[in-house]
Amino acid sequence: MTCSVVTANRLDDGAVVYLAPEGRWTGCLDAALVARDDATEPLMAMAERAVADRLVVTPYLIAVEDGPKGRLASHIKERIRATGPTVRLDLGKQAGQTGSTEARYVSL
Amino acid sequence: MPLVKDDALIQDNWTRLDDDAAMIDGPVVVSLERWLNERDVLASRNGALGVVLTSHETPEQIAGDLDRFSLVCLEFPKFTDGRAYSHARKLRERFGFKGELRAVGNVLRDQFLFMQRCGFDAFEVAEGTALEDWLRATTEISVAYQSAADRRATAMAQRQDACSTS
Amino acid sequence: MYRYDEFDHTLVAERVTQFRDQVRRRVAGELTEDEFKPLRLMNGLYLQLHAYMLRVAVPYGVLSAHQMRRLAHIARVYDKGYGHFTTRQNIQYNWPRLEEVPDLLEELAEVEMHAIQTSGNCIRNVTADQFAGVAADEIDDPRVYAEIIRQWSTLHPEFSFLPRKFKIAITGAPNDRAAVKVHDIGLRMVRNEADEPGFEVIVGGGQGRTPMIGHVVRGFLPVPDLLTYLDAVLRVYNQLGRRDNLCKARIKILVHETGVDEFTRLVEEEFAAMSRESPQVLPGGELARIRAYFQPPAYRDLREAAPTLDLALATDRAFAQWHAASVSAHKQPGYAIVTISLKPIGGIPGDASAEEMEAVADLAERFSFSEIRVTHEQNLVLPDVAKENLHAVWQGLKAAGLATPNVGLVTDIIACPGLDYCNLANARSIPIAQEISERFADLDRQHDIGELKVKISGCINACGHHHVGHIGILGVDKKGIEHYQITLGGDATETAALGDIVGPAFSGEKVTDAVDTIVAVYLEQRRDGERFLETYRRVGLAPFKEKLYASR
């Protein structure tokens, strides 16, 4: 089974957001609305309405997986979008959370 | 579709004639292909004649016939295809075309000034276009750094004038 | 440096107003994203992974201390306290809000700066030798012509919707510090038999997916014909450049597919026609007007030897190490050019905090006639420092954490933002740079290795110039895992060359080891006094390849 969520960037500040229930948008991947298999059409329709309402820009589907530490985007690019620059842990969504600040290449 | 011309929004009185459409009276615009295929018929009819060039057709293809046309339309298939800017300048500056040079296709006000500077003097715009927005677009940038078909005085020329008169 | 007159001020102010209106229309729903995107790109505004990114032009890399202070202010007020200096001598802000960008641009306009044409399929910010005007080896000052080209290219009505982006670089010296052979147009100042200055015109170089070294289409172009000739090249490209395939749209592909001789003929034919119908001959008065802005500052009458400097060099080893890496010859006796490394060990190449920008502005005001340069290697330059002040400059840099003595060495790495920020990237660049930097942190080892240019790009667009790195590293995506392809022997200078691919790509964890192996092979193979590039050219790929893939 594949799980997908809809992501986009907010029009006003470009921040990464995910489509949540009732057409809301959230910055938190865990709070996103998940479509199982290919039941993605209603989600994209909802997202296109938000484009028309000028809330978000260029929505698209991403694959996600549920793991022991919560939900994770499948692709590395989406994992970086979901957290922030891996070289500036003080910036992006990860800011304020505790974590390693070691400047080392770690594969994601 | 409406036209912006001479600072006014006007109705187009030209008929765009498809390649297989029967000939009619009055001013008509034909494709380059139809002109090349039927030039004798088209040249001998009464009524003004115009031609439309797509962005991959060049001014050189009509350079020898320009006195036949009172209208040349250059098509922007999308506004990001900028070939017609060069074609317009060549029609005006190289081949001396004095008739109406009309921008057709994906013609938006954000490119209005560029088009005008390259020699276009008529613009086919979407239904419901607000004229005042278009007119504002021509005055948004008053400085020209480079010479073009509109022969506006460039900043460089004005600086030289200021030097020589002071 | 150049100062805006009323025309320049008016144009930039009008462009800000125009962009403010475009943003308003976007937010009000009068423009769709598809319509707005080319407009915002033409004003340097991208939408990247985490936020909008604004690229601000630093024309030909020249900045005043006053402008640098404004850049710091913008970093604090509109961004998150820092900026990123790029390989095109620009600065990028990573976190601006859409509706604040017009205000940001207004603040830039106040200090005679803008973001015009820092993106989009138009003529981009012209780049130049970062030592322009102060280099000992210069034929003529390229800044004069770079400024003329800046103005000519700004809102060019005919060339704002080209098949693809268009980059022009200019150098005034035979030693090419502007990489003119890998630009759409490269201009190199030369003199003809009558000793008049002019340009050698090189067209069709470039990096990206299909890297190519440019071809000389005109051996000597007289100065007055510069703009007409550029118009002719651009017109040929605008009409004939491919628009059917984004990957084949750059002028290098047109030159390649048309053939250099035929392309040159088309340009010369267009140039002859334009010279008749719409010449833009550079008037001597305008040249003199612009040249006047680039007159040398009020240098003191100094002797070339500086005893206080010699004493400091003899007694302070750390200073001497920094001096060896960072100081270049100046044409004025008693003066030197200082390159400030933005590559601290383990840091992010090209990033500077607001505080660091202000520290550099302070030092420029005190010691370098308030002038600063940005280099395409993502460093900064104080172009006019009296030798007797070098020690004080070094102390100032040290206090600001900006005295890393690694310019030109293995840790002076070029890296694009990569997948940490960029929407186009396939892999991260910065963490690779950081790890290599830490591995080679030992200064004695770096000096022993000598000049070695490592350049890293996170995708085939090659913003990190990997094709012309002595060691080039290109990030690729292999089934969702970051991998890195390594090239050797690239060179961006007057002896330009594209690197050779060593073999299969390495995983992220293995890249630093691979670089270590490459350096070890070089040290083993090198003869007395040979730089890495010289050794590589002599021994070729084989010994490197053998060691790199020995255990596979």
Side-chain angles (χ1 to χ4, degrees), chain A residues 48-62:
Chain A
E48 289 304 334
R49 279 198 291 279
V51 170
D53 290 343
R54 305 182 306 279
L55 292 174
V56 301
V57 174
T58 44
Y60 59 97
L61 289 162
I62 61 167

Side-chain angles (χ1 to χ4, degrees), chain C residues 110-188:
Chain C
E110 283 173 9
V111 295
E112 306 180 8
M113 294 184 78
H114 60 71
I116 297 170
Q117 289 165 221
T118 54
S119 180
N121 294 333
C122 48
I123 305 165
R124 302 287 188 89
N125 179 38
V126 55
T127 53
D129 179 357
Q130 70 267 19
F131 294 169
V134 294
D137 58 353
E138 199 163 83
I139 289 169
D140 196 0
D141 189 338
R143 292 172 300 174
V144 176
Y145 307 102
E147 175 57 29
I148 287 169
I149 293 170
R150 181 190 75 81
Q151 296 187 22
W152 159 80
S153 63
T154 298
L155 304 186
H156 198 301
E158 188 177 347
F159 306 130
S160 288
F161 294 93
L162 297 167
R164 199 75 181 84
K165 58 188 167 183
F166 202 93
K167 300 174 180 176
I168 301 176
I170 177 166
T171 179
N175 292 309
D176 178 7
R177 287 171 291 260
V180 296
K181 289 183 179 172
V182 286
H183 279 77
D184 295 287
I185 294 181
L187 297 169
R188 202 168 66 88

Side-chain angles (χ1 to χ4, degrees), chain C residues 305-340:
Chain C
T308 52
L309 171 64
D310 294 340
L311 182 67
L313 286 172
T315 53
D316 189 337
R317 183 160 183 267
F319 172 61
Q321 273 179 325
W322 174 84
H323 183 277
S326 315
V327 176
S328 307
H330 196 290
K331 68 180 182 188
Q332 178 72 18
Y335 282 81
I337 306 168
V338 169
T339 301
I340 301 169

Side-chain angles (χ1 to χ4, degrees), chain C residues 378-435:
Chain C
Q378 300 179 288
N379 291 318
L380 300 175
V381 166
L382 297 177
D384 290 302
V385 180
K387 286 182 168 181
E388 60 192 28
N389 289 331
L390 283 171
H391 194 260
V393 166
W394 172 67
Q395 285 177 316
L397 289 171
K398 211 165 52 150
L402 289 167
T404 314
N406 63 348
V407 173
L409 301 176
V410 57
T411 60
D412 182 7
I413 300 169
I414 288 186
C416 71
L419 194 53
D420 280 301
Y421 291 97
C422 177
N423 228 336
L424 299 172
N426 291 318
R428 287 171 291 163
S429 307
I430 299 166
I432 301 295
Q434 290 175 316
E435 196 175 272

